[in-house]
Amino acid sequence: MEAEENFAGTSQGARLSVVATPIGNLEDLSPRAKAVLASADCIACEDTRTSGNLLRRFGIARPLLAYHDHNEQASAAGIADRIAAGAHIALVCDAGTPTLSDPGFRVVRECRRRGLAVETIPGPCALIAALSASGLPTNAFAFYGFLAPKTAARRRFLEELRDEKMTLALYESCHRIRAFAEEIHEILGPQRVVCFARELTKLHETVLTGTIADILPQMTGKNLKGEFVVLIAPADFEL
Ligand code: SAM
């Protein structure tokens, strides 16, 4: 049993390590993540400045390689080439888990296609943190990432999902959060249960769970800054 529990911690050699980093609270960087980042030949990141700042806080100095959406295809091949040649590369994003509404999917797919070793160093993820603190059902959920910014597309999305049986999870910008709450109220009805999870793991963490009729007034007239995860409970769910 002990050997099994330790198995992942003993990975060595050429591989891609997909590493989750904090979504706010730096204490959430796991010891295993620190060890992997400190020992990687190179850290592939979205933004070398953001990841450089994080790594400096932990005294980690490794070469950084910029990796973002617009060069993801080319970088994926380059990263896989380096792993095939024997390198250990850690993949991080600005915050949270790579590939979840963040770059990284193509490099993981490329490594898998080539049969290269890929390991996960799991940790913070806004989606999972919100679900776990929400009180909404988590047995079946659908994650939609960021919704289209256009009002018509967002309204259509809600209309199509009116009778949904799963919990719906979305990332939303603070600029649209109040308008989105009003749309939920209007299209899904005042009794729909929702959760607005804001600034998770940070100083102003706020998780509001209730019917949209109860939550909406709490969002009106406030300066709603920060990062949000929005969860919408199944149509028949009651608190
Ligand atoms: N890959 C990240 C993850 O694992 O959570 C998500 C990255 S996505 C580009 C950024 C969005 O995630 C934000 O706009 C917000 O919707 C959500 N998010 C990130 N950090 C958050 C936090 N601390 N609290 C609430 N939502 C957060």
Side-chain angles (χ1 to χ4, degrees):
M1 195 60 191
E2 199 177 314
E4 233 171 71
E5 280 170 4
N6 286 332
F7 172 73
T10 59
S11 298
Q12 280 176 355
R15 66 196 186 282
L16 179 74
S17 301
V18 184
V19 183
T21 58
I23 55 170
N25 191 324
L26 294 184
E27 297 292 316
D28 292 338
L29 188 71
S30 74
R32 188 165 166 241
K34 281 180 222 165
V36 165
L37 292 170
S39 64
D41 293 311
C42 169
I43 300 172
C45 54
E46 261 190 284
D47 182 329
T48 50
R49 219 170 33 178
T50 305
S51 295
N53 286 340
L54 175 77
L55 295 166
R56 253 191 309 283
R57 297 287 290 267
F58 292 95
I60 296 171
R62 305 304 304 145
L64 300 179
L65 169 74
Y67 174 82
H68 16 180
D69 275 335
H70 61 267
N71 73 356
E72 205 179 337
Q73 196 68 52
S75 329
I79 289 169
D81 287 346
R82 288 175 69 164
I83 296 170
H88 170 209
I89 297 192
L91 176 74
V92 298
C93 56
D94 283 353
T97 300
T99 81
L100 271 288
S101 292
D102 264 331
F105 160 72
R106 287 187 180 82
V107 72
V108 175
R109 181 178 62 181
E110 186 62 22
C111 290
R112 292 274 173 213
R113 278 179 175 161
R114 298 195 199 183
L116 300 170
V118 178
E119 68 174 357
T120 175
I121 314 294
C125 175
L127 163 68
I128 301 301
L131 278 169
S132 68
S134 67
L136 268 54
T138 58
N139 55 324
F141 66 88
F143 175 53
Y144 285 87
F146 288 100
L147 282 191
K150 293 234 166 74
T151 307
R154 290 144 52 91
R155 292 182 69 89
R156 203 165 46 246
F157 167 84
L158 288 174
E159 277 155 12
E160 281 168 7
L161 295 167
R162 206 185 310 240
D163 301 322
E164 179 58 57
K165 293 194 168 44
M166 289 190 274
T167 293
L168 306 174
L170 305 145
Y171 288 160
E172 185 56 284
S173 146
C174 61
H175 306 297
R176 285 187 293 267
I177 201 75
R178 194 168 6 232
F180 189 45
E182 283 163 4
E183 286 160 5
I184 293 173
H185 186 269
E186 181 197 330
I187 297 168
L188 301 182
Q191 292 313 308
R192 193 64 167 250
V193 175
V194 295
C195 171
F196 284 79
R198 169 177 172 252
E199 294 287 89
L200 295 167
T201 80
K202 301 184 197 175
L203 188 61
H204 298 294
E205 172 174 307
T206 319
V207 179
L208 296 175
T209 294
T211 64
I212 188 68
D214 287 338
I215 302 288
L216 197 52
Q218 299 180 57
M219 300 180 67
T220 309
K222 291 214 177 102
N223 195 5
L224 296 172
K225 288 199 180 130
E227 302 193 277
F228 283 87
V229 181
V230 180
L231 304 174
I232 303 174
D236 59 359
F237 178 74
E238 288 175 22
L239 273 174

